[in-house]
Structures are given as structure tokens and as C-alpha cells.
Amino acid sequence: MSSSDQPASLYAAREPIFPRRVKGRFRNLKWALLAVMLGIYYITPWIRWDRGPGMPDQAVLIDLANRRFFFFMIEIWPHEFYFVAGLLIMAGLGLFLFTSALGRVWCGYACPQTVWTDLYILVERWVEGDRNARLRLFNQKWNAHKARLRLTKWTLWLLIGLATGGAWVFYFTDAPTLLGNLLTGDAHPAAYTTIVLLTLTTFAFGGFAREQICIYACPWPRIQAAMMDEDTITVAYREWRGEPRGKLKKAVGTEEPLGDCIDCMACVNVCPMGIDIRNGQQLECITCALCIDACDEVMDKIGKPRGLIDYMALKDEAAERAGAHPKHIWKHIFRVRTMVYTVLWAGIGIGLVVALFMRSPFDVNVTPVRNPIYVMLSDGAIRNTYEMRLRNKQGGERDFVISVDGDPALVTTVEGKETTVVTVAADELGGTRLYVVAPAGSAPALAERTPLTIWIEDTESRSRVGIHTIFNGKGQ
């Protein structure tokens, strides 16, 4: 088969994208958010929070060894995972809400892939120069100068990736202790493995894959289509104003009316996704608005009004084309769809806060021993046994008083104690056996089943928890 008969390849090699530096209000907003989010990520594990003796003093800690999660004054136990589930649901609804109102604002400003890619591009620009310099370096043959610049850039990228992976593992154990162990080689192999994996993935995703992650690996560009409609605020090109395009010099002295777009390609050159927003809405667009800054800068230079590329609703673009006035931005944001998302999101948040402040400072579980269901003592009394587990979720040792609310004839004792007081250490789970005895001839002893409530009271906070159960008698 000749080469001319070969079928056309369906694979196109990736064309590297070298975004040009741009200044403007949206670029400044992205820099500010990048600094804040990276600062939070890297600094948070080092914030201390005093929880008392014997307790970790790291403000945010995912303590897998003891199966707990600490967030400043809040402590989440494994059986309280519904708090984490609620936060995940809120995060999903938040994405739906912001996408419905403002398009892919998450992708353009807060997505980790966007944040670290921006940081890597900043390093690349600092080492190799702006867009034209990077293009020339990419196309030139390898020499000592190119090798030096590339090695410098890659070294800085690896250091950022190392800091990223290192910060991540600090969330799972005491950060100062782990740092010392990492430097001396005494840390657990899982810590080194995690750091290496995150370093390499950050290096690859932020340095090389970049827009490929957003286009091919991330599912959100496909999901967003169901979240957006004609009222969604997104980045768009005012085609009615910009077309037909033409160079500024060609437009001077001609009778042909030209649009405001001078086809300078500034919007394309600054786009981190390498797309042309003038071609309409595209899956690749992350609505980072850098094209708006670039276009506004050009419009200022040629004396044209800003907003040729702008945040707008597609419905407004059609209205402007027909000569009508666009709707106010708040009317696009506050509509039935977004209000429903807001109510759901806020409702779950309020419910979690209420549940957080209403939860008991201790947990108790009481289980009747079923084999045997009761024991007849030598004096004819009937004894029931209950397995009790007390979890003290407070920062100090607590004494808990056990009492029974039911028939007055019932007598309560704790295994191995002369009192009904159980002491549980701070942040510990204590277990004991509880005996409830009905004297011979009493109503509970003669009845088959008697309703019973076992009360556990914290002697310091006076908090009480009641467990409803059954006292089993011999029956008549």
C-alpha cells in the first residue's frame, strides 16, 4: 500500500500553549486568590490550637491513627461522619449554584489544576521570558543556553511539587514532628511515597499536561452543560459589535464599515487553554476572563469602548444585537434556579451547624446481654446485665453518674464498683458492665418485660443522656 493510500491519522500531537502576560482587574483577582489559597494550603498544618494535655495541638488534623478529625475547636469522630458527608453535599451544591449563576468560575479561579498551572506558568515566564521568548526557545535546537533554562525551570517546578506533597502529608500527623522525621529519614514509608507521588503528579499536571487535564481528564466541562443556560453569566464575545474584523490601518480611509475587533489575536495569546473566544462557547473555556483584560487593554489603545469581550449572559448578547438593553446582572444571578440551589445549600449548612452545637459532649451505648437474658440470684432476685460503652469527647477526665428511671424497686450497680460513678479519661472510650437488680416478688421481677431508662450524667457539665431499654423478668 502506498503512502497516499494510508488512512488519515485520527491523532493530533499536542501543540504547546505559551500564554502571554496580561494585566487587568481579572488577572489581579486571580493573583490575589492564588496567593490566598496557596497560603491557606501551605500554612494551615502549622497553625497550633491548644486542646489540653494529651491532645494534639495542630489546628487542622486528620488523625487516621485514632480515627478523628480536628478542625480548630471542632472534633469529628468516626460515627459522626455525617458531618463530612454534609460538607461534601454542600460542595456539590455549591458547584451547581456557582456554575448556574457564573459559569465555570470554579475552574477559572479556584480549581487546584488552575492554581498550580498559574504558579508554574509564572515560574516559566520568570525563567524563560514572556510568550515570544518562550516560543523561540521551544523552536530552537538544544544547546547549553536552552538546557540551562530548562533545567532551572524544571528544578523550580520540582521544588514546588515537593512543597505541595510535603504540605499534604502534614495534614495527617503533627507537622513539626513529621518534618523532623522526614529530614532524619525516620518517617513512615507511606509519607515518603505520598510525597513522591504528589511531587511527580504536580510536576506533570502543572508543568506539562496543563489544559489537557481540563479537557480530557476532568468530567466537569461535560457536566457544566446541564448546569448552564441562557441566563448564566459567562465570558462571551460581542460578535454584533466586533464583526467584520479588520486591521486598524486597513480600516482608515475605507468606506467599508468594520467592527471594533482589529484581529490582533491578543485574546488568543493570553488564553491558557489556547482557544479563540470569538468562535463562541467552547468546552475548553474555563472562564478565567484573561481574554477580557487583554481585549480591554487593546480597546483602550485604539480609543474604543471596553467590553468587546466581557462577562455576559447569552440572552443579553442576543438582546443587544437586536438593539435592546441587557438585563441587570443581579437579575441573571437571582432567579428561580439559583435560588433553589441557594436554599438547599443554606439549609444543609444550617442543619450541620445546629447538629454540631446540639451534639452531646459524650456518647453512650448500652446493650442488654442476651445470653442469658436474666440471672436469678440466691435470694430470688432477678438481675439483668447491660454492656455499656462511654466515649468522653471532651478535653479532660470526666465522672459519669449512672441511674435508672423505671420501677422504684430496681437497684443499679456497676461491675467492680461500690458506687454508680464511672470515670473516663479525656478523649477515650470506656467500657463497663451495668447490673440492674429487681428484688424477689417485685413487679419487675414478676413481669416478663418492664420498660427501663438508663441515665448517664456528666457531673461537671450536667449533660444527661437517656437510653431506653427493657428489663427482663421471669414472668408469671
Side-chain angles (χ1 to χ4, degrees):
M1 182 181 292
S2 64
S3 59
S4 59
D5 295 330
Q6 293 286 343
S9 175
L10 299 179
Y11 172 78
R14 173 180 178 261
E15 291 290 337
I17 298 171
F18 301 99
R20 180 175 66 82
R21 184 172 180 264
V22 63
K23 295 180 180 179
R25 63 188 190 277
F26 294 110
R27 178 65 270 183
N28 292 337
L29 175 62
K30 282 173 65 66
W31 285 137
L33 291 174
L34 180 145
V36 170
M37 290 184 289
L38 288 180
I40 292 173
Y41 176 74
Y42 288 120
I43 295 174
T44 298
W46 301 95
I47 300 175
R48 302 293 97 183
W49 189 268
D50 185 12
R51 296 188 178 90
M55 296 291 291
D57 63 351
Q58 188 161 308
V60 179
L61 177 64
I62 304 172
D63 188 0
L64 295 180
N66 297 300
R67 298 180 297 175
R68 289 173 296 182
F69 170 63
F70 297 96
F71 185 80
F72 293 91
M73 77 290 294
I74 301 172
E75 181 180 355
I76 303 298
W77 292 78
H79 64 284
E80 296 174 326
F81 190 79
Y82 56 85
F83 285 109
V84 178
L87 290 175
L88 293 176
I89 294 173
M90 287 186 68
L93 285 175
L95 280 176
F96 293 163
L97 169 60
F98 283 106
T99 303
S100 177
L102 300 171
R104 292 178 64 185
V105 65
W106 161 262
C107 300
Y109 293 90
C111 175
Q113 175 66 18
T114 298
V115 171
W116 265 270
T117 297
D118 268 0
L119 181 60
Y120 272 40
I121 291 176
L122 177 64
V123 171
E124 183 178 72
R125 186 181 295 121
W126 178 66
V127 174
E128 298 179 352
D130 206 0
R131 182 175 186 273
N132 292 336
R134 300 205 305 277
L135 275 171
R136 289 193 298 269
L137 184 68
F138 176 77
N139 291 321
Q140 78 177 43
K141 294 182 178 180
W142 280 92
N143 54 30
H145 173 71
K146 182 174 181 177
R148 178 177 60 82
L149 292 180
R150 287 295 170 87
L151 287 175
T152 301
K153 179 182 70 174
W154 292 342
T155 300
L156 293 175
W157 282 359
L158 281 171
L159 290 176
I160 294 173
L162 181 63
T164 302
W168 177 257
V169 298
F170 290 150
Y171 282 91
F172 294 86
T173 189
D174 184 66
T177 304
L178 178 58
L179 178 61
N181 292 337
L182 288 171
L183 295 177
T184 58
D186 296 327
H188 193 280
Y192 293 107
T193 302
T194 302
I195 292 175
V196 170
L197 289 177
L198 289 179
T199 299
L200 295 179
T201 52
T202 304
F203 179 77
F205 291 173
F208 300 97
R210 293 185 179 175
E211 78 285 350
Q212 304 292 295
I213 298 296
C214 302
I215 298 172
Y216 300 111
C218 180
W220 192 241
R222 282 82 181 170
I223 299 174
Q224 69 164 346
M227 298 293 104
M228 298 173 63
D229 54 32
E230 291 184 344
D231 276 304
T232 300
I233 303 296
T234 187
V235 175
Y237 168 65
R238 287 186 166 94
E239 184 179 356
W240 61 270
R241 175 184 152 187
E243 303 296 324
R245 307 172 197 170
K247 297 298 182 183
L248 185 62
K249 292 183 179 179
K250 293 182 179 180
V252 177
T254 63
E255 297 181 358
E256 179 185 3
L258 295 178
D260 289 350
C261 180
I262 62 173
D263 206 18
C264 63
M265 302 296 289
C267 57
V268 178
N269 292 337
V270 302
C271 180
M273 304 301 292
I275 64 172
D276 190 341
I277 193 62
R278 297 171 297 177
N279 294 334
Q281 296 299 302
Q282 298 159 68
L283 176 145
E284 296 87 349
C285 180
I286 60 174
T287 67
C288 63
L290 296 183
C291 54
I292 298 178
D293 286 337
C295 187
D296 284 348
E297 185 179 9
V298 173
M299 292 297 106
D300 290 342
K301 291 179 179 179
I302 65 175
K304 299 288 186 179
R306 291 186 165 202
L308 180 59
I309 300 175
D310 204 355
Y311 270 112
M312 71 176 81
L314 299 182
K315 184 179 291 186
D316 284 345
E317 201 278 338
E320 291 178 3
R321 185 189 298 271
H325 291 289
K327 291 169 59 177
H328 194 277
I329 185 173
W330 294 113
K331 291 184 178 180
H332 288 293
I333 294 177
F334 291 105
R335 60 187 196 277
V336 174
R337 183 176 184 178
T338 57
M339 293 304 294
V340 169
Y341 287 142
T342 302
V343 170
L344 291 174
W345 184 85
I348 295 174
I350 293 172
L352 289 177
V353 171
V354 171
L356 185 64
F357 285 97
M358 288 185 63
R359 64 177 182 169
S360 172
F362 62 93
D363 290 325
V364 61
N365 179 267
V366 177
T367 305
V369 174
R370 299 296 184 184
N371 188 20
I373 60 173
Y374 69 85
V375 173
M376 181 177 290
L377 303 181
S378 58
D379 60 355
I382 302 296
R383 187 182 73 186
N384 281 200
T385 305
Y386 301 85
E387 293 284 356
M388 184 177 66
R389 293 188 176 276
L390 265 171
R391 187 188 301 275
N392 177 18
K393 298 190 293 184
Q394 300 168 95
E397 185 179 82
R398 290 290 190 272
D399 291 332
F400 298 92
V401 177
I402 314 300
S403 60
V404 172
D405 186 6
D407 194 286
L410 295 174
V411 178
T412 307
T413 58
V414 175
E415 185 179 44
K417 289 180 174 290
E418 297 181 357
T419 66
T420 57
V421 177
V422 176
T423 302
V424 182
D427 243 45
E428 292 291 340
L429 176 66
T432 186
R433 281 198 166 194
L434 180 66
Y435 298 125
V436 179
V437 179
S442 64
L446 298 176
E448 184 175 354
R449 295 165 66 87
T450 302
L452 178 68
T453 301
I454 299 175
W455 290 97
I456 300 91
E457 181 178 356
D458 182 353
T459 58
E460 185 169 329
S461 67
R462 313 309 298 180
S463 299
R464 298 181 72 203
V465 172
I467 304 297
H468 301 290
T469 184
I470 295 295
F471 181 89
N472 294 293
K474 63 181 180 179
Q476 293 182 343

